[in-house]
Amino acid sequence: MKKIRKAVFPVAGLGTRMLPAAKTVAKEMLTVVDRPLIHYVLAEARAAGIEHFVLVTGRGKTAMEDYFDHSVELEATLKAKNKTALLDELLADLPKEGEISYVRQMEPKGLGHAVWCARDIIGDEPFAVLLPDMIMDATPGCTAQMIAAYEQTGGSNIVVVEPCPPGMAHQYGIVALDGQSGRLNPMTGMVEKPAAGTEPSNLFISGRYLLQPEVFDILSTQERGAGNEIQLTDAMLKMLAGGSPFHALEYDGTTYDCGDKLGWLRANVAMALKRPDLRGVREMIGEELRR
Ligand code: UTP
């Protein structure tokens, strides 16, 4: 069983649900409290022991390359002003040189295509995929839980799932399981947006995967599917059909889907409430509700 060393972060989408901001600010650079979405997700991967981060970027996404690099003028100014704690925090958050790579998806052809764009950097080893618009608030982090599941299953592909709000299954990708006991179960299939009442389980696919590299061979010939996009789900279904084991992991934590406005606002409130340096938040929200 190979170690999980690398993670792919697809960040090349258009983010249409976050317009107008997403017109000039990459969705993944929108802040939750005081740090961009991509910051949370990269930190989750790093805490799980990931050694190499591959960002699949596109036009208008270069701010992320600057974010994960030195800002020489800013660092000099912080040093001159003796703001060493702030400076140390900024420096500690930077990936080490050579730990981060960027590949360009020249057209947002879908999540499957974005993952495929990382094939040469990933090579012939299993890897994690983290969707940066999903903040998974968990201890240990969702990626760490996923790697533990990978090890427990002896190297299965892993799809992180979570229970669907009642009556909402028709909006999600839903997994089919071979029996259900505990949080880690063998998967037999996946259905995108099943018609109401036909869903094979109440568990939907959220934004984290561990995949064996054979997914790249399948993606290289993959046709466009739902939404006219090259879908990762379709490639995973082909792997399943070809006999690759998949397990669904119901991780222990809370997900904030920051890909739409309400979810992003909720994440801001939730993360602010957890911050000891922002003690006035609860009171502030109360005041706004009474207005
Ligand atoms: P989403 O479907 O949530 O992102 O993809 P989107 O397409 O940018 O958003 P909407 O639906 O138009 O609002 C999940 C992640 O996959 C990336 C996105 O950047 C996002 O982080 N993605 C999606 C790509 O990198 N390339 C694609 O072709 C599609």
Side-chain angles (χ1 to χ4, degrees):
M1 190 176 45
K2 286 187 182 168
K3 191 172 176 248
I4 307 292
R5 299 189 311 119
K6 299 179 184 173
V8 175
F9 303 79
V11 296
L14 295 178
T16 53
R17 287 168 295 159
M18 294 305 269
L19 284 171
K23 194 175 163 193
T24 53
V25 182
K27 173 172 76 172
E28 300 79 9
M29 283 301 288
L30 290 173
T31 53
V32 167
V33 187
D34 54 2
R35 52 206 72 199
L37 289 172
I38 188 71
H39 179 120
Y40 289 88
V41 181
L42 205 112
E44 176 194 315
R46 178 187 254 180
I50 296 293
E51 297 163 11
H52 197 102
F53 313 96
V54 186
L55 269 63
V56 181
T57 70
R59 280 182 293 285
K61 304 279 183 167
T62 47
M64 270 173 274
E65 295 189 35
D66 294 332
Y67 186 77
F68 291 116
D69 196 357
H70 286 289
S71 171
V72 175
E73 197 180 340
L74 173 67
E75 288 166 16
T77 306
L78 291 177
K79 201 170 175 189
K81 293 191 169 175
N82 245 339
K83 299 197 170 184
T84 40
L86 198 50
L87 177 59
D88 289 349
E89 201 184 318
L90 285 183
L91 295 178
D93 285 335
L94 285 184
K96 307 265 177 308
E97 278 162 309
E99 271 183 356
I100 191 162
S101 301
Y102 302 89
V103 285
R104 195 95 167 190
Q105 185 189 27
M106 291 160 81
E107 205 189 310
K109 292 183 188 166
L111 179 59
H113 182 259
V115 169
W116 179 74
C117 288
R119 65 199 179 281
D120 283 347
I121 303 177
I122 299 298
D124 189 25
E125 55 183 280
F127 62 102
V129 177
L130 290 85
L131 303 193
D133 49 2
M134 306 296 259
I135 292 187
M136 316 293 241
D137 186 24
T139 313
C142 183
T143 303
Q145 293 184 36
M146 198 163 57
I147 291 175
Y150 165 83
E151 288 167 356
Q152 194 182 325
T153 57
S156 172
N157 298 280
I158 306 285
V159 174
V160 170
V161 296
E162 54 196 287
C164 229
M168 298 294 279
H170 65 282
Q171 292 196 6
Y172 293 99
I174 304 290
V175 294
L177 302 176
D178 182 14
Q180 194 171 351
S181 79
R183 290 178 170 271
L184 183 62
N185 291 288
M187 262 169 64
T188 54
M190 285 162 262
V191 202
E192 269 304 324
K193 304 193 168 98
T198 67
E199 58 273 8
S201 76
N202 78 327
L203 297 171
F204 74 93
I205 302 172
S206 41
R208 304 285 185 269
Y209 312 81
L210 274 191
L211 297 171
Q212 292 290 345
E214 66 188 90
V215 72
F216 293 127
D217 294 335
I218 293 170
L219 285 168
S220 65
T221 55
Q222 177 103 357
E223 302 285 326
R224 290 180 189 249
N228 201 27
E229 293 193 337
I230 297 174
Q231 298 283 353
L232 185 60
T233 314
D234 292 343
M236 293 193 297
L237 276 172
K238 282 191 191 149
M239 288 169 79
L240 250 178
S244 285
F246 270 79
H247 281 74
L249 169 68
E250 200 183 326
Y251 90 110
D252 186 11
T254 308
T255 301
Y256 297 98
D257 180 355
C258 301
D260 69 34
K261 289 166 194 171
L262 259 187
W264 173 74
L265 282 170
R266 186 185 193 127
N268 271 283
V269 172
M271 293 299 154
L273 284 169
K274 280 173 165 254
R275 287 273 294 261
D277 58 329
L278 297 175
R279 285 219 178 79
V281 174
R282 197 170 293 272
E283 202 184 338
M284 187 193 79
I285 293 169
E287 277 170 19
E288 286 303 317
L289 289 173
R290 286 192 293 278
R291 223 181 260 277

